[in-house]
Amino acid sequence: MTYISAQPRLTDSWDDICFPVESVWLADLLPNYDIVATDRQQLIVGNIAGGRNTIFGIQSADYSVVPNTVIREVVDELIPQYKLLVQYTPTGEFSINIILPEVFRIGKESLQRSLILTNSYNGKTPFALQGQSFITLLHPDSVLRGSMYRGVCQNGLLGWADHFEDAAAYQTWLEEWSAASQKTRLPKNRPTGGRKGRPSPGIRTIHHSELTIDVFRQHLRDLLIDHLKPELTLTSEIYAQLQKREMRSRDEGLLRELPVPAQLAKQARERLRTEEQLLNVGPSYWLLYNAVNYALFTSRSSLTLNDRYRLDEQVFHQLAARSFA
């Protein structure tokens, strides 16, 4: 789904995204009108500091907005030391990157373990943790992906291969995925054995049914505690594989083959050259992946945050498949 063109902004302050937000019923706002559009009954209104009240969306009666202040409260409670980096749009979408102290090496680079939460006030991007919806993660068979932060270009990288038991299983799936013109569905999460029970009937989705903030807060807290257990992920192995694969003359047209809009591909090509100079290295699949990631999450586009993450995942798998070929 596409909508108004927007360019993500960067901030390292919670204050820029933790302004008051509330639901305002149309019937209260327009008491002298009979409202027959029953599929849209409430406005999501934010009070941004220094600005007028902003209407981010008009939603159904059972829509529940998740204030960023609640996310901040849980993060501050559980994580004593972290660095914050937020990408957000003026249309009310937020990608919140919690950067942890743990460091991993990919080639000569240092990456930090991180936690990525996405949220929105316009309904375009459902609340998600590490790229997975809240209801998916509440299932007892779910596994929480990892993520890493790359300081060179301030990229937040999701663990797109973390669903797999090992590299061999991932390579087998990549072969099937490539053969099916990249239309194969992702496999289900592997069982973790760490969660018991299923989501209560009161939690079926986060944006389409009633959900109290207290219930949300408790489940988010439990999920974060589970994630904060130190664990190396398969995706970090794939990063190392991409880093070892140098780009050669036969890869000259590779960027044109990736599923990103032409304008973003052009910006990715420019970013790739910039990183080669910054790091004083030749081009590799690792640098190319990060260049595309950078273009996706910093450029003006009509893509929603969900669209950007979806394309990022496709590019990751496509480059991984080629690196193993």
Side-chain angles (χ1 to χ4, degrees):
M1 179 183 294
T2 58
Y3 70 126
I4 187 171
S5 179
Q7 182 170 11
R9 301 171 181 174
L10 283 176
T11 182
D12 59 2
S13 172
W14 281 109
D15 293 341
D16 289 330
I17 65 167
C18 285
F19 49 82
V21 62
E22 63 178 340
S23 298
V24 178
W25 291 97
L26 281 174
D28 294 337
L29 191 65
L30 305 170
N32 298 324
Y33 290 80
D34 291 328
I35 300 172
V36 296
T38 55
D39 59 330
R40 292 289 184 266
Q41 297 186 24
Q42 58 174 326
L43 306 176
I44 307 304
V45 182
N47 184 2
I48 302 176
R52 301 174 61 188
N53 285 342
T54 300
I55 298 174
F56 288 107
I58 305 177
Q59 305 296 345
S60 60
D62 59 1
Y63 180 92
S64 296
V65 65
V66 176
N68 290 327
T69 51
V70 177
I71 299 172
R72 177 183 186 175
E73 291 170 4
V74 177
V75 169
D76 284 345
E77 175 194 354
L78 297 179
I79 308 175
Q81 183 181 359
Y82 67 88
K83 188 171 94 173
L84 176 71
L85 184 67
V86 179
Q87 292 175 310
Y88 68 102
T89 70
T91 55
E93 292 184 281
F94 312 94
S95 179
I96 304 167
N97 197 350
I98 307 299
I99 304 164
L100 305 174
E102 296 175 69
V103 176
F104 298 88
R105 301 287 298 181
I106 301 295
K108 297 180 180 179
E109 294 186 55
S110 296
L111 277 65
Q112 289 177 263
R113 192 160 175 252
S114 69
L115 179 68
I116 298 176
L117 307 97
T118 53
N119 192 26
S120 75
Y121 293 161
N122 59 14
K124 300 289 185 180
T125 300
F127 178 85
L129 179 60
Q130 304 293 62
Q132 297 175 91
S133 69
F134 197 64
I135 187 63
T136 297
L137 291 171
L138 290 176
H139 193 280
D141 289 341
S142 68
V143 59
L144 193 60
R145 295 186 183 110
S147 65
M148 291 190 183
Y149 170 75
R150 182 173 181 256
V152 172
C153 51
Q154 298 185 314
N155 284 10
L157 306 175
L158 279 173
W160 297 122
D162 288 352
H163 284 9
F164 299 86
E165 291 288 352
D166 51 37
Y170 179 54
Q171 284 184 256
T172 299
W173 177 82
L174 279 177
E175 293 172 2
E176 298 172 354
W177 180 77
S178 299
S181 300
Q182 304 173 7
K183 292 182 180 179
T184 305
R185 296 183 64 183
L186 288 174
K188 294 181 180 179
N189 290 332
R190 56 182 170 83
T192 61
R195 299 194 184 108
K196 297 180 181 180
R198 294 178 179 273
S200 65
I203 306 176
R204 291 302 178 191
T205 62
I206 196 155
H207 282 300
H208 302 287
S209 65
E210 290 295 341
L211 176 69
T212 67
I213 293 302
D214 288 340
V215 170
F216 170 81
R217 182 186 288 109
Q218 183 57 51
H219 281 287
L220 177 60
R221 187 177 184 279
D222 292 343
L223 289 169
L224 292 192
I225 289 174
D226 188 37
H227 173 73
L228 291 173
K229 300 171 185 175
E231 181 182 357
L232 286 174
T233 67
L234 176 60
T235 302
S236 62
E237 295 181 30
I238 307 304
Y239 290 159
Q241 169 72 18
L242 295 177
Q243 192 271 334
K244 293 176 184 176
R245 184 65 183 265
E246 297 179 356
M247 293 181 65
R248 304 188 183 280
S249 57
R250 63 177 178 272
D251 298 314
E252 191 170 321
L254 179 55
L255 188 53
R256 291 193 296 272
E257 299 174 13
L258 299 178
V260 293
Q263 186 59 35
L264 295 187
K266 179 181 178 182
Q267 295 181 46
R269 182 175 290 105
E270 294 173 355
R271 180 65 197 183
L272 176 62
R273 293 175 182 144
T274 298
E275 291 210 8
E276 290 175 47
Q277 296 173 355
L278 285 173
L279 299 173
N280 192 27
V281 295
S284 65
Y285 281 25
W286 167 247
L287 290 191
L288 178 59
Y289 170 58
N290 278 280
V292 173
N293 180 285
Y294 181 88
L296 281 172
F297 290 98
T298 62
S299 303
R300 173 174 291 278
S301 172
S302 59
L303 297 171
T304 66
L305 279 180
N306 262 357
D307 293 331
R308 296 171 197 249
Y309 278 114
R310 176 179 55 81
L311 292 177
D312 183 67
E313 180 178 13
Q314 291 180 15
V315 168
F316 174 84
H317 292 315
Q318 192 164 331
L319 291 177
R322 187 145 175 167
S323 73
F324 283 116

